[in-house]
Amino acid sequence: MFARLGRVVVHNPWKVIGAWLLIVIAVVASAPKLTSTTDQSEFLPSHYESIQAMQLQQQAFPQSAAPAAIIVFKRADNAPLNDENAARVAAIAAQLGDEKIKDVTGIQATPPAENRLVQIAAVQMTKVTTAGDTTQSDAVKSLRDALQAQLKDTDLKAGLTGQAAQTLDQTESSAKGMAIIGIATIVLILVLLLIIFRSPVIALLPIIVIGGVSSTVGGLIAMVSKAFDLKVDSSVNSILLVVLFGVGTDYILFLMFRYRERLRAGEDPKTAMVSAVTRVGEAITSAAGAVIIAFMALTLSTLGMFRALGPALAIAVAVALLAGLTLVPAIVSLLGTKVFWPSKAWQVEPKGARFAAVGAALGRRPGAFAVVSGGVLIALGVFAFGFNPTFDLSSGSTSDTSESAIYSKELLKGMPAGATQPSDVLLRSEGGALTAPQLADYRAALAGVPGVGQVSEPHPSSDGAVAEFQVTLSSAPESDAALETVRGPLRDTAHAAAPAGTTAVVGGITSVFVDFQDAMNHDYTIVFPVAAILIMIVLALLLRSVVAPWYLMASVFLGFAATLGAAVLVFQHFQGNSGLIFTLPVIMYLFVVALGTDYNILMVARLREEARAGRDPRQAAALGVHHTGPTIAAAGVILAGTFASMMLAGNNVLSQMGFAISVGIAIAAFVMAMFFTPAITALLGHRAWWPGHGDRGATRDDTTKNGAAWSAEDYYTPQQASATSGRSNRGWSNTGA
């Protein structure tokens, strides 16, 4: 199949390029706009209590809501506010309200905090109706400008924080981060490919090809999101950019390495490209299939953010694969050997002394390599047991120097930590209006809950059947302590203290995070096993073996544990963070398992190829590391580097994701695929391929090429083939391995 595909593409390059141009134009012209959201409540199913509370709040109080933003005032000299300062704050709030700033519906100053270090003004804004609605963000920008004008010639300082301000700062931080990630990714790919191939043409090839098809990816994702009403998280764009360029470059790299190898074997450029597609087509298609399956397993998640993330990334990988097998061969077939210009190194087989030495050592002592590489994975994996999830996405997604982050910290000097985003308790009567004694007793019960700082006066609905209590927690709304308060005593008390004939639900962002955690725990038991089973099926079909998939997936599991352990070690132990972002294990699992399987497939496919050529298991392992090691090393460096660029974005969320994924890919490439997998395969020998025994010498039907059986010349240059042929009669030695 891949031989036929290669011939069609190579002999019809202009038609293939023209077809791609038509597809890109058609998709871009017809695709809707891709919008994203930062509202975490949009990702939860309706049966969770936090979502039920939000729905009840919208029904009972359609014109009322918690403040969209909070203005925090303080003295410029950090001294306590005096009565004149407090009066000035009230006057500024009133003047801002009189300016009729668009979409600011009300500004109400409150008395200073008890210690008088800060004073706040609550800001009501027009509600956001859709994911792409910038109403509140635009209002925050206008309000910030107006506020600074009012502060002139006063001894006060002030800034905006709260949900709307944090969303704006997060969006702007993400935009800056995207620019940094994009530039760093492109520069890294250019530099590394220049070093590897010494050719600006090959260095530019992935940038041009992937950049050209990226608009198609965005269009297809927008189509799918609209068709299935998927909510796309704002972080998807950053991940998508890195996945598309990283994975796409990897596939192009696999193809170009084999193309160069076939040229060195004496084939003409067109025949060499057909051979390259034939040889790597099955491997990279299987690898991409494993990645796509792992991503699509996310559609089983209860969380909308992951149900949208899975198809989005799967589309990116599928497009990268198609471009790698069709568009790239078409372009290269037109360029021929000019693709390597100005370098002539492609004409000479490198000695590959380092990888030859490593392969020879592994071939001699596979047991030692298996123990050492496995030991490294286990040692790092031990730290994974200390993983603690954190839900601090708002501050973690913005720079510490952003206004919302700065004044959120200032607010803590005088207010309970939960003041920026209080929880909501809604009490609903099933038979008429709630009475004043019921509301007073219920408020007192809520105020007595450990971890609760303040409880507002009840706000009744127009018919009196529903009352809303704003509960300010003593801890930051995303903290572990706040989550424990809402999950345990607050919800328990809210339900138990509800008068007869009434029901109560707890809402707010902390309640959303509690439900998120429950949903994540559910997903761990569904998504992970399903993805693992499906990937094992792909491996079994590729390798015609039921043994190899087990130890390949075991190595990937160890790689996942080691990666999580490394992240815990760096961020929780060395940097002293309270935890890692709660989505990290799922994202890591997908990338480490899926992309780690990529490298395992590439290595094990070469091991099978060497075994079919008559090598014994240890010799096959040595030659596999010798010849595939450079490809995996180059691909691993590029892919790990592209994900590491996320650490330059300037916020903790992307830093943790970038570090964890890049370390996971490095472990997958340089520990799992390079050492652990070939070592275990060498130790198992013929048993690794049971029951299909894909290591047996291939039959004429599946190994003929142009009517002749494959020989050593099909794998190596004539000089290498002669050397390996001579060794086959003398017994294998480590020279030339």
Side-chain angles (χ1 to χ4, degrees):
M1 180 180 75
F2 292 103
R4 186 180 302 110
L5 174 64
R7 287 192 296 270
V8 170
V9 170
V10 168
H11 294 299
N12 300 278
W14 287 113
K15 291 181 180 179
V16 172
I17 294 171
W20 269 99
L21 287 174
L22 290 175
I23 291 171
V24 170
I25 293 171
V27 171
V28 171
S30 59
K33 182 181 178 181
L34 178 63
T35 58
S36 59
T37 179
T38 58
D39 184 357
Q40 303 303 319
S41 66
E42 293 192 21
F43 301 126
L44 279 169
S46 59
H47 66 270
Y48 283 100
E49 182 171 343
S50 60
I51 305 304
Q52 293 174 354
M54 181 184 68
Q55 293 170 344
L56 177 59
Q57 184 182 54
Q58 292 172 346
Q59 293 170 3
F61 308 99
Q63 303 301 322
S64 175
I70 297 174
I71 306 176
V72 182
F73 294 87
K74 56 172 283 190
R75 280 180 61 108
D77 58 3
N78 295 319
L81 296 161
N82 55 37
D83 291 342
E84 182 182 347
N85 297 142
R88 183 60 181 157
V89 167
I92 290 174
Q95 289 168 358
L96 289 173
D98 292 340
E99 289 189 23
K100 304 298 182 184
I101 297 171
K102 185 179 180 181
D103 294 312
V104 174
T105 58
I107 302 177
Q108 180 64 50
T110 65
E114 289 186 14
N115 59 12
R116 302 186 74 85
L117 290 178
V118 296
Q119 186 173 356
I120 67 172
V123 182
Q124 300 287 346
M125 295 181 178
T126 304
K127 289 185 178 181
V128 172
T129 56
T130 63
D133 192 343
T134 61
T135 296
Q136 291 189 352
S137 294
D138 294 338
V140 169
K141 292 178 184 178
S142 300
L143 187 57
R144 280 175 170 170
D145 292 339
L147 175 62
Q148 295 310 313
Q150 292 287 344
L151 290 172
K152 286 182 179 179
D153 302 324
T154 71
D155 55 357
L156 297 174
K157 292 179 67 176
L160 265 75
T161 186
Q163 184 66 41
Q166 289 172 342
T167 297
L168 171 62
D169 290 343
Q170 180 181 342
T171 302
E172 292 180 344
S173 176
S174 296
K176 293 177 183 176
M178 279 287 292
I180 293 172
I181 290 170
I183 294 170
T185 298
I186 291 172
V187 170
L188 182 69
I189 291 173
L190 284 172
V191 170
L192 290 176
L193 289 181
L194 277 171
I195 293 172
I196 294 169
F197 289 100
R198 305 172 195 172
S199 166
V201 180
I202 290 184
L204 288 169
L205 185 62
I207 307 300
I208 295 171
V209 171
I210 298 169
V213 302
S214 61
S215 56
T216 304
V217 173
L220 291 174
I221 293 172
M223 290 177 180
V224 171
S225 299
K226 182 178 180 180
F228 295 96
D229 192 27
L230 298 176
K231 304 294 184 181
V232 180
D233 182 65
S234 58
S235 64
V236 167
N237 291 329
S238 301
I239 302 173
L240 190 64
L241 177 70
V242 177
V243 167
L244 191 57
F245 275 94
V247 174
T249 302
D250 265 11
Y251 294 158
I252 293 172
L253 198 64
F254 296 161
L255 184 72
M256 294 308 297
F257 264 103
R258 189 56 73 101
Y259 176 60
R260 187 176 65 178
E261 183 179 321
R262 301 312 306 154
L263 287 173
R264 287 170 176 167
E267 293 182 351
D268 65 85
K270 288 189 178 295
T271 303
M273 181 50 70
V274 174
S275 297
V277 173
T278 303
R279 304 299 177 88
V280 302
E282 183 182 27
I284 66 173
T285 300
S286 299
V291 176
I292 290 170
I293 284 172
F295 288 158
M296 289 303 294
L298 283 177
T299 57
L300 301 175
S301 171
T302 55
L303 297 174
M305 63 184 298
F306 288 131
R307 286 200 303 274
L309 177 64
L313 297 180
I315 288 170
V317 173
V319 172
L321 173 66
L322 289 174
L325 290 178
T326 58
L327 185 56
V328 174
I331 294 172
V332 174
S333 68
L334 291 173
L335 295 173
T337 57
K338 293 184 180 68
V339 75
F340 298 106
W341 180 87
S343 174
K344 301 294 185 182
W346 65 270
Q347 299 174 345
V348 181
E349 177 71 27
K351 293 181 179 179
R354 293 180 181 177
F355 286 98
V358 171
L362 188 147
R364 286 195 305 270
R365 303 185 64 187
F369 275 78
V371 169
V372 172
S373 57
V376 169
L377 297 176
I378 292 172
L380 286 173
V382 169
F383 291 97
F385 291 101
F387 168 71
N388 181 54
T390 179
F391 292 80
D392 187 5
L393 298 183
S394 297
S395 62
S397 298
T398 59
S399 169
D400 290 338
T401 60
S402 66
E403 183 173 319
S404 62
I406 292 172
Y407 281 91
S408 179
K409 293 176 182 176
E410 292 292 339
L411 182 65
L412 298 180
K413 293 180 180 179
M415 299 286 182
T420 55
Q421 298 184 71
S423 295
D424 301 305
V425 178
L426 291 108
L427 184 67
R428 177 172 58 185
S429 172
E430 303 296 341
L434 294 160
T435 65
Q438 285 178 321
L439 296 177
D441 291 344
Y442 192 69
R443 178 172 180 252
L446 295 178
V449 173
V452 169
Q454 298 175 358
V455 180
S456 70
E457 292 290 339
H459 176 206
S461 61
S462 57
D463 61 1
V466 179
E468 177 186 35
F469 299 82
Q470 284 197 352
V471 177
T472 303
L473 303 176
S474 303
S475 305
E478 69 282 347
S479 66
D480 292 342
L483 265 67
E484 287 304 316
T485 296
V486 170
R487 177 185 291 108
L490 182 57
R491 280 187 174 177
D492 291 344
T493 301
H495 299 158
T502 67
T503 56
V505 286
V506 179
I509 193 65
T510 306
S511 186
V512 168
F513 289 153
V514 168
D515 292 338
F516 249 88
Q517 201 166 51
D518 291 342
M520 290 290 295
N521 291 334
H522 172 269
D523 288 353
Y524 290 153
T525 63
I526 301 296
V527 176
F528 284 16
V530 169
I533 291 170
L534 293 176
I535 291 174
M536 287 183 67
I537 292 173
V538 171
L539 290 171
L541 293 174
L542 171 67
L543 303 174
R544 285 81 169 173
S545 167
V546 296
V547 175
W550 284 99
Y551 70 81
L552 292 176
M553 286 305 298
S555 73
V556 171
F557 172 77
L558 289 175
F560 166 77
T563 303
L564 183 57
V568 169
L569 190 63
V570 169
F571 289 99
Q572 292 185 207
H573 293 280
F574 292 165
Q575 292 192 3
N577 292 349
S578 62
L580 300 170
I581 56 171
F582 71 100
T583 56
L584 194 62
V586 170
I587 292 172
M588 270 177 39
Y589 177 84
L590 293 171
F591 284 103
V592 175
V593 170
L595 300 179
T597 303
D598 260 18
Y599 299 134
N600 266 344
I601 286 176
L602 193 67
M603 176 59 76
V604 82
R606 188 67 187 232
L607 295 176
R608 182 183 63 176
E609 190 174 312
E610 299 294 349
R612 282 180 166 180
R615 324 290 182 223
D616 65 51
R618 296 192 176 204
Q619 185 182 9
L623 292 174
V625 172
H626 181 188
H627 293 289
T628 306
T631 307
I632 291 176
V637 168
I638 289 175
L639 194 58
T642 54
F643 276 104
S645 68
M646 296 172 68
M647 298 172 65
L648 302 174
N651 68 67
N652 201 38
V653 170
L654 291 179
S655 292
Q656 290 184 17
M657 288 173 58
F659 173 84
I661 297 171
S662 60
V663 167
I665 289 168
I667 288 173
F670 294 98
V671 180
M672 288 160 39
M674 196 81 72
F675 300 132
F676 192 77
T677 294
I680 295 296
T681 304
L683 289 172
L684 290 175
H686 186 60
R687 290 167 293 184
W689 311 102
W690 185 88
H693 297 305
D695 60 329
R696 285 176 174 164
T699 64
R700 184 175 183 84
D701 290 339
D702 58 9
T703 62
T704 56
K705 186 186 72 166
N706 299 328
W710 285 355
S711 64
E713 284 82 357
D714 293 318
Y715 298 94
Y716 311 108
T717 63
Q719 293 82 0
Q720 289 176 310
S722 175
T724 56
S725 177
R727 280 200 305 270
S728 66
N729 294 325
R730 297 191 303 268
W732 173 64
S733 69
N734 60 22
T735 59

